[in-house]
Amino acid sequence: MSTDRQAVHSLILKQCARTPERTAISCGDLSISYHELGRQIRSVAACLTEHGFSSEAIIGLYFNRSIDFVATALGVLHAGCAYLPLNPHLPSKRLSYMAENAEIQALLFNCPLPDDIVLPDKSKTFSFENVSALSVFTDKEESRCDLSMRAYVIYTSGSTGYPKGVEVLHRNILSFQQSVLQSPGISEKDIVVSVASFSFDMSGFDIYPALSCGAHLVIATDTETRDGRLLADLLDRKNATLLKSTPATWHLLLQINWPGKKNLRLVSGGDMLSWEVAHELLKRVNTLWNVYGPTETTIHCTEYPVDTNNSFNTASVPIGKPLANCQLYLLDDQGGQVPDMKAGEIYIAGEQVSRGYLNNPELTKERFIRDPFDSDRKMYRTGDRARRLPDGNTEILGRADHQIKLRGYRIELPEIELTLQKHELIRQAAVIVREDMQGGKRIVAYVTKTTPEADLWSDELRAYLGKKLPAYMLPSAFVILDKMPLTISGKPDRKNLPVPEQAVLAIDSGAMRKAKAESDFHKEITGALGLELTELWEELLGFRPGTIYDDFFALGGHSLLAMRLLHRIEEKLGVILPLSALYPRATIADLAIQVIKQQDRTKSSYRLAAVRPDGHKPALFIVHPVSGQIAILVNLMAGMDPDQPVYAFESNAQYPEEKPSIEELAQTYIALMKQRQPAGPYYLAGPSMGGWIAFEMALRLTAAGDEVALMAAIDSAPKIRKTTVAMGDSPVLDEAQCLAAAVMTLRGHAGGIKAVRQSREDFGAAFVRSLPEAERWQQAAERLKTDKVLEPDFPDSQLKRVLKTLMAHTLAFYNYQFPRPGNFPITVIVNTHPSEVPYKVWACENNDNVWGWTAWTTATVDGPHAIEGGDDHWTMLRRPDSLLKVAAVLQQSLDKAASGI
């Protein structure tokens, strides 16, 4: 085998011998030399060889973003095996499918494996720490492979509902590496920053060419890949010269007004690149390349050096011309080549076309077909549409199967997206067809703004598009997102775009101008808006309120009805209001004023509600329980002194969009509280999880020199060990576990401990994991309605929002560890049977007469105050009579603390 035809990992080992002292890879504060990289590669290979793994055996790699992954992957190749990246961020069910479908013979890992991952029966597991410590290995430079062997398997999404594994060969990688070393060109002087997921084949651009020529590979941490400011700082600190990523990364950098780096070359791939973004990037960097290529043709197979001249008026930046060893055909439905400027489907042939789909001969036969222009090879049918420009470059047009038919018209969704992205106030756009109700297909546009202050109005966007597109292509709704959801590969995650009614909708500017011009609120309150709100109240309460100043709760409204009221306001008026909008007064008049003002259309998820702002006593600040809602305060307030001011923190955090920790919630709530009361002494309280947040707030306040006169823990016990066990299941904090816990909490509040036990049996995490993702929410709704926790007509979209808040908070309190004791007085209020949950779930011990709280403060602990009739955790926080007794104890403690007794 000649040197230039050796597998790329062999070329990397030769580089390790040539430049042993040079830094090969760094990640965070860690780095590794080429000498140490070579040692680790051979250690991994020796381990696999010693255990007798055959040629092309597939080895699963369960690694976080680290140097370890690169060394292990190259070691697998040196042993003649093939690696399969298993991203720890993926659901266990998907990982298990990939491992079993690929029939992996071993799994190497450098981070804890999920308890519920399922591996093939005969597969072995190895810790990277143990493997890399091997000192005995072969010094042979030649590996146990040839170029026709399988190098890695990467799974991509499949139309059947299951991912499909692409088998990439050593010769495919070598062909790509040889092209990239020439163009855009990589040398030993380069510092290459890697942001792509290792389960995304784009990461191969960073690993193989860079290490084979002696460059310095910098692996960005997970946080740096998601935060534009941190990524920009990394590029500066490392003096990066080359970065390949998707347009999503360019948006992250441009959103922070990144000044750029004049010695930096960018390579953009994975999605269509707009001219607007390209122009902005070219102002900031040395050069910009746009590339294209599906996983099936090895990383990328075309390239285009971007300049500012769009001579052929293309909608997006062209993808250029094929790499040296690739051929690109544009064919019509009959397999004939289309002329220039005509659309055809892309077919790719040449050295980079992979073997096919692992264990899927039918799909391989369908997509990898004989090349009619060269019978000795095959070509890959991409499903992408494009046209060839007169200068030989190619412009991508979208998916061949991305075309939709709506009301008799054929519509290309990418055309709408690209047109929207030309709007000066829009950063990103994704357009899909939704059918949330049967027979109700509609085009919905999802956009992010160039700046948070930008105003996007639905009527103005429709008029803007109407100038460029026919009426039947105009979206029926525009959803404004703070952040575009992305797949692991950095593309817009269209499957996880929210239902419009659950998101922030662009509203009509004409209506807003009319409202702002209305100086006399009374006209609106008593006019059409007041009448609409009155009709909503009548619909929910079953009778018409006497006046627009009657209180919703005084008329018999409760927390579930309150959520339905806000949902109906959102549906009918297009205005999203939080539950705190009903405090301190829940009247039609007050609601109408809030609708008119609509002070912040993208309201924060965290608020401080003035439950009772008036009174002469020191204010009490209460933190919400795990639900994030403050509805229980309606009954709690009835038992407190009318002269007692009360403020409550409310959260509408959404899983997985927001995953706040207890520490983050505490810091946020301190900031909100100090806006209301700049200095102490502070009086804090919290039921259930709220007690933990209040404790963390008290720690932070006293550390900063503020006085905390009282912290009241209402049926909240401190967690003393790390492992928590929810619902009798393994503590794997995935979506299934969080959803099961959320459903359990709602059932518990309605039916007490018996309902909790039932939920552990019939809706535990293991059961949820067994369901397809699409059915989980439906099953949750059915269980809650069957148990009569919710009324039959309770809106599913509103329920999902409630559950996602519970899930976000569940994750927060499962992860929280009490850091240190405080120095502030604590009052402990408990139910009459605290030996059950939540204390077992929270892993608490009754090691003193106040459930362990004496270990967490050096000041006095008052209690425990057992609430008579508070049968368990859920019934105590739900029943009005129990809450009245809690209020009496709490008021007594407040008065005692305020008097200094």
Side-chain angles (χ1 to χ4, degrees):
M1 183 182 296
S2 64
T3 302
D4 62 338
R5 293 298 296 171
Q6 285 186 310
V8 174
H9 66 273
S10 294
L11 299 177
I12 292 173
L13 280 171
K14 288 183 179 296
Q15 183 65 44
C16 291
R18 282 195 298 270
T19 56
E21 303 303 321
R22 180 178 295 166
T23 298
I25 315 172
S26 61
C27 180
D29 296 328
L30 303 176
S31 63
I32 187 174
S33 69
Y34 271 94
H35 170 76
E36 179 62 15
L37 174 62
R39 191 198 70 78
Q40 291 190 8
I41 291 172
R42 291 192 176 93
S43 291
V44 172
C47 175
L48 297 176
T49 302
E50 179 183 337
H51 284 83
F53 292 106
S54 60
S55 295
E56 292 203 346
I58 300 177
I59 311 298
L61 303 185
Y62 186 86
F63 282 70
N64 55 26
R65 291 189 63 79
S66 61
I67 299 171
D68 301 349
F69 174 88
V70 178
T72 304
L74 295 173
V76 170
L77 298 182
H78 192 50
C81 301
Y83 66 86
L84 165 63
L86 296 170
N87 192 320
H89 295 301
L90 290 175
S92 297
K93 188 174 181 181
R94 187 177 183 88
L95 292 173
S96 299
Y97 173 82
M98 291 159 60
E100 292 195 90
N101 180 256
E103 300 173 341
I104 65 171
Q105 296 186 26
L107 179 70
L108 275 66
F109 61 92
N110 76 338
C111 53
L113 295 173
D115 292 346
D116 57 341
I117 191 172
V118 179
L119 303 177
D121 292 337
K122 296 183 180 180
S123 65
K124 300 176 181 179
T125 57
F126 301 93
S127 163
F128 173 78
E129 183 178 357
N130 294 333
V131 171
S132 64
L134 287 175
S135 57
V136 179
F137 50 80
T138 177
D139 289 325
K140 289 176 63 179
E141 289 296 341
E142 296 292 332
S143 72
R144 299 166 54 210
C145 76
D146 62 58
L147 295 179
S148 64
M149 289 171 55
R150 179 169 56 205
Y152 63 75
V153 177
I154 284 188
Y155 277 77
T156 63
S157 59
S159 58
T160 61
Y162 296 97
K164 55 185 184 292
V166 180
E167 297 184 90
V168 176
L169 309 179
H170 284 276
R171 63 178 174 82
N172 302 146
I173 302 174
L174 179 62
S175 175
F176 171 78
Q177 180 252 14
Q178 290 174 334
S179 292
V180 170
L181 288 179
Q182 298 301 316
S183 177
I186 302 179
S187 73
E188 62 181 15
K189 297 180 180 180
D190 274 309
I191 300 170
V192 182
V193 172
S194 175
V195 297
S197 165
F198 292 137
S199 60
F200 182 26
D201 73 328
M202 184 183 286
S203 62
F205 172 88
D206 310 316
I207 297 172
Y208 303 117
L211 295 178
S212 67
C213 71
H216 177 186
L217 175 62
V218 178
I219 301 173
T221 64
D222 274 326
T223 306
E224 288 166 340
T225 65
R226 298 191 300 264
D227 188 315
R229 296 187 185 279
L230 294 179
L231 179 57
D233 179 65
L234 177 68
L235 296 172
D236 283 338
R237 283 190 292 107
K238 297 296 185 178
N239 194 26
T241 61
L242 184 62
L243 171 64
K244 179 182 181 181
S245 192
T246 67
T249 297
W250 315 144
H251 290 301
L252 282 177
L253 291 171
L254 294 176
Q255 283 173 349
I256 64 162
N257 295 318
W258 176 54
K261 281 178 61 62
K262 288 302 181 183
N263 67 328
L264 182 63
R265 290 130 53 215
L266 299 183
V267 180
S268 183
D271 206 352
M272 286 189 287
L273 177 66
S274 72
W275 279 107
E276 288 73 18
V277 170
H279 284 305
E280 290 300 320
L281 292 175
L282 284 172
K283 295 175 185 176
R284 294 166 167 83
V285 299
N286 183 291
T287 54
L288 171 65
W289 295 74
N290 192 35
V291 300
Y292 161 84
T295 302
E296 290 84 348
T297 59
T298 315
I299 309 174
H300 72 246
C301 57
T302 75
E303 62 182 11
Y304 177 72
V306 184
D307 60 34
T308 56
N309 180 25
N310 185 13
S311 56
F312 300 105
N313 194 29
T314 58
S316 63
V317 177
I319 59 172
K321 300 175 182 178
L323 301 185
N325 295 322
C326 297
Q327 285 76 42
L328 186 147
Y329 306 124
L330 297 182
L331 306 181
D332 58 24
D333 292 341
Q334 289 72 44
Q337 297 196 59
V338 299
D340 288 356
M341 300 302 287
K342 295 295 182 181
E345 186 173 351
I346 298 177
Y347 291 73
I348 299 168
E351 284 292 298
Q352 289 179 213
V353 177
S354 62
R355 178 182 289 175
Y357 297 113
L358 179 67
N359 297 327
N360 197 337
E362 291 185 3
L363 186 58
T364 299
K365 185 178 180 180
E366 175 188 334
R367 306 301 292 189
F368 293 81
I369 61 180
R370 185 182 63 82
D371 184 350
F373 310 102
D374 187 341
S375 59
D376 292 333
R377 65 184 184 184
K378 60 185 177 180
M379 61 183 184
Y380 172 67
R381 181 179 184 179
T382 68
D384 291 324
R385 295 176 68 254
R387 63 174 182 169
R388 184 167 285 110
L389 306 174
D391 62 358
N393 288 300
T394 302
E395 177 195 10
I396 198 84
L397 299 175
R399 290 289 298 172
D401 54 4
H402 214 8
Q403 187 183 78
I404 61 137
K405 193 172 183 180
L406 186 63
R407 294 186 295 274
Y409 295 101
R410 294 188 180 275
I411 299 172
E412 294 288 348
L413 297 180
E415 186 178 359
I416 306 174
E417 292 179 354
L418 290 167
T419 306
L420 272 173
Q421 286 174 177
K422 293 179 180 178
H423 191 286
E424 61 180 2
L425 299 181
I426 291 177
R427 178 72 67 190
Q428 295 166 283
V431 180
I432 63 173
V433 172
R434 301 197 67 102
E435 190 172 5
D436 300 309
M437 295 183 296
Q438 189 172 6
K441 283 187 178 181
R442 54 179 174 162
I443 301 174
V444 180
Y446 297 82
V447 298
T448 61
K449 301 187 289 187
T450 53
T451 62
E453 300 78 22
D455 284 328
L456 292 176
W457 309 98
S458 60
D459 54 340
E460 292 180 357
L461 289 176
R462 199 165 282 110
Y464 169 80
L465 289 177
K467 295 177 181 178
K468 306 173 185 294
L469 303 173
Y472 60 80
M473 293 183 68
L474 301 184
S476 61
F478 297 88
V479 179
I480 302 174
L481 303 174
D482 291 332
K483 186 177 181 181
M484 185 71 69
L486 302 174
T487 63
I488 291 176
S489 59
K491 298 178 183 180
D493 189 355
R494 289 172 172 81
K495 291 183 179 180
N496 284 321
L497 291 169
V499 176
E501 285 70 30
Q502 297 176 23
V504 179
L505 293 172
I507 62 174
D508 189 284
S509 63
M512 176 58 73
R513 284 193 293 271
K514 180 180 178 182
K516 287 183 176 180
E518 182 60 72
S519 59
D520 185 0
F521 282 146
H522 187 74
K523 291 181 181 179
E524 290 292 332
I525 295 170
T526 58
L529 178 57
L531 180 60
E532 286 182 298
L533 291 172
T534 300
E535 290 173 350
L536 288 181
W537 283 39
E538 184 177 8
E539 171 189 322
L540 296 175
L541 296 172
F543 59 87
R544 197 175 188 84
T547 73
I548 60 172
Y549 301 106
D550 290 335
D551 188 88
F552 183 77
F553 294 104
L555 295 175
H558 51 75
S559 58
L560 292 179
L561 276 181
M563 287 187 289
R564 291 185 62 195
L565 171 63
L566 297 180
H567 178 76
R568 292 290 289 121
I569 290 174
E570 177 184 344
E571 284 187 327
K572 194 167 185 178
L573 303 176
V575 174
I576 300 175
L577 295 177
L579 193 59
S580 57
L582 301 176
Y583 300 98
R585 296 175 299 274
T587 70
I588 292 172
D590 290 302
L591 276 175
I593 291 174
Q594 292 196 57
V595 170
I596 295 168
K597 287 184 175 180
Q598 200 182 26
Q599 294 174 329
D600 183 0
R601 295 189 304 280
T602 55
K603 291 181 181 292
S604 168
S605 294
Y606 315 105
R607 300 173 184 84
L608 179 61
V611 180
R612 182 189 286 159
D614 302 323
H616 297 88
K617 293 187 175 186
L620 170 66
F621 294 89
I622 302 183
V623 184
H624 60 79
V626 68
S627 66
Q629 300 170 9
I630 54 178
I632 66 167
L633 297 183
V634 174
N635 292 313
L636 193 66
M637 291 300 299
M640 302 192 73
D641 191 321
D643 197 36
Q644 175 66 61
V646 177
Y647 296 87
F649 299 101
E650 180 188 32
S651 170
N652 189 36
Q654 297 287 285
Y655 179 97
E657 295 89 343
E658 299 170 277
K659 295 180 181 178
S661 64
I662 294 288
E663 295 86 348
E664 291 169 336
L665 290 170
Q667 193 61 40
T668 299
Y669 295 161
I670 287 172
L672 291 172
M673 182 172 65
K674 283 186 169 289
Q675 291 176 8
R676 176 70 60 175
Q677 182 182 318
Y682 293 107
Y683 299 79
L684 308 174
S688 189
M689 186 188 85
W692 293 6
I693 302 174
F695 177 80
E696 180 68 27
M697 290 175 67
L699 283 179
R700 290 168 178 258
L701 286 165
T702 52
D706 287 305
E707 179 186 355
V708 175
L710 178 67
M711 197 286 284
I714 304 173
D715 219 40
S716 180
K719 183 169 62 172
I720 64 167
R721 66 176 185 264
K722 187 171 184 179
T723 303
T724 61
V725 182
M727 300 160 293
D729 199 2
S730 64
V732 180
L733 301 180
D734 58 7
E735 179 180 308
Q737 179 78 316
C738 293
L739 178 59
V743 171
M744 181 194 74
T745 299
L746 288 181
R747 293 170 83 177
H749 279 298
I753 185 63
K754 292 182 180 179
V756 169
R757 290 172 179 154
Q758 180 66 29
S759 200
R760 292 161 79 174
E761 294 176 3
D762 64 19
F763 205 78
F767 171 74
V768 178
R769 291 188 191 108
S770 71
L771 299 172
E773 291 187 15
E775 293 183 18
R776 294 177 179 181
W777 298 100
Q778 179 183 353
Q779 287 279 348
E782 289 177 0
R783 293 290 166 95
L784 293 169
K785 291 178 180 180
T786 300
D787 288 357
K788 298 183 179 179
V789 179
L790 303 174
E791 297 177 14
D793 60 344
F794 191 87
D796 286 346
S797 59
Q798 184 73 0
L799 170 61
K800 191 170 184 179
R801 186 177 298 171
V802 172
L803 287 172
K804 289 180 78 172
T805 298
L806 276 161
M807 291 167 70
H809 294 153
T810 294
L811 196 63
F813 78 71
Y814 278 8
N815 284 326
Y816 181 63
Q817 297 299 309
F818 278 63
R820 63 184 184 281
N823 184 23
F824 40 83
I826 299 177
T827 290
V828 180
I829 304 172
V830 298
N831 69 75
T832 50
H833 296 90
S835 61
E836 280 288 353
V837 288
Y839 305 102
K840 286 184 178 179
V841 173
W842 293 349
C844 303
E845 286 185 2
N846 183 13
N847 57 1
D848 59 20
N849 66 343
V850 285
W851 283 94
W853 277 111
T854 53
W856 295 101
T857 184
T858 57
T860 60
V861 179
D862 178 31
H865 299 277
I867 301 303
E868 183 181 352
D871 298 328
D872 59 56
H873 180 67
W874 284 273
T875 53
M876 188 186 106
L877 296 178
R878 176 178 58 89
R879 287 168 42 176
D881 56 337
S882 297
L883 286 170
L884 287 175
K885 295 171 184 176
V886 171
V889 173
L890 186 58
Q891 188 65 65
Q892 183 181 18
S893 298
L894 285 168
D895 293 342
K896 183 178 178 180
S899 64
I901 298 176

